[in-house]
Amino acid sequence: MTAFRMPGAVVFDMDGLLFDTEVLHRAAAQDAAAEHGCVLPDAVFLSLIGGSAVDNRARLLAHFGTGFGIDDFEACWSRHYAAHAAGGPALKRGVAELLTLLDALGLRRAIATSSSHEAVRRNLAAHGLAGRFDAVVARGDYARGKPAPDPFLRAAEQLGVAPGTCLALEDSPHGVRAAAAAGMTVVMVPDLVPACDADRRLCATVAEDLHAVVQLIAGCG
């Protein structure tokens, strides 16, 4: 566990941290597997959360077999996800309050995600949050995805701050490892995957939700 101090900036993951998208992705992936006459065990899906596209394709092929039509499966997954998320994914608890606090403190913030820029724009627009982040780093903006530190390093670069001054908020083990490797102070807010001992060793703390993060930052004032 590392010490917590007032950050110079905050870097957010998106899926499962800002928006309740992971439950929708799980349902969509399982629907896609059923459409392909397969089963996607929950343990396999959970291993994908927060991972890079390249790594996740390898994990899926390891499960389904090397001859599996991964491109068709991913397209089917995307189609089912669009149906599940038609009304927009729910906002996670504490997001609005945390952004209000960061505004009051004058703290810059970024999103560092494995998802696409289009997914970020769609989710932010669904909740009127467009313009509430100073930078967005998404798939295609970095050479290596999480658990490599590249997305977080790129976010710090776009914010114009040193990575070591940043607080990173993550819900997944892959994301926690990436943020810690970037040298950021990490707070894990678990979603579908609970924190394990290895995650806790990399984090300043594990928070129940973003309301707890509000209290953590406010307590530094």
Side-chain angles (χ1 to χ4, degrees):
M1 181 173 289
T2 58
F4 185 84
R5 61 186 184 280
M6 178 64 75
V10 181
V11 183
F12 293 78
D13 177 47
M14 182 179 74
D15 293 295
L17 189 283
L18 289 170
F19 304 102
D20 200 13
T21 51
E22 297 295 7
V23 292
L24 304 180
H25 274 297
R26 177 164 61 184
Q30 291 172 343
D31 288 346
E35 190 169 317
H36 281 71
C38 304
V39 174
L40 182 65
D42 203 45
V44 175
F45 174 78
L46 294 179
S47 75
L48 307 178
I49 293 178
S52 70
V54 172
D55 289 345
N56 284 350
R57 283 172 69 94
R59 292 183 182 101
L60 288 170
L61 287 173
H63 170 67
F64 290 125
T66 55
F68 184 71
I70 190 68
D71 292 333
D72 288 342
F73 175 78
E74 289 182 341
C76 186
W77 180 346
S78 295
R79 175 166 49 82
H80 281 290
Y81 178 80
H84 282 289
L91 197 65
K92 298 288 282 188
R93 284 170 39 86
V95 171
E97 294 82 357
L98 180 52
L99 292 177
T100 296
L101 175 62
L102 299 184
D103 287 342
L105 294 173
L107 290 179
R108 291 169 60 78
R109 75 299 304 247
I111 292 173
T113 178
S114 301
S115 292
S116 66
H117 275 281
E118 175 55 33
V120 177
R121 286 191 291 269
R122 184 171 59 246
N123 290 339
L124 293 177
H127 292 279
L129 296 178
R132 297 297 300 277
F133 293 85
D134 301 291
V136 172
V137 174
R139 189 170 63 234
D141 293 336
Y142 40 79
R144 301 173 301 164
K146 303 173 186 177
D150 301 33
F152 288 99
L153 294 174
R154 181 66 174 150
E157 180 184 2
Q158 290 196 7
L159 290 174
V161 298
T165 69
C166 293
L167 167 64
L169 301 176
E170 266 288 353
D171 70 291
S172 74
H174 292 310
V176 165
R177 288 169 56 195
M184 296 185 178
T185 298
V186 188
V187 170
M188 186 178 186
V189 186
D191 181 35
L192 297 184
V193 182
C196 65
D197 288 343
D199 299 327
R200 293 179 184 277
R201 286 193 293 270
L202 295 174
C203 294
T205 191
V206 175
E208 179 180 358
D209 56 27
L210 292 178
H211 285 301
V213 177
V214 169
Q215 297 173 0
L216 188 64
I217 295 175
C220 292

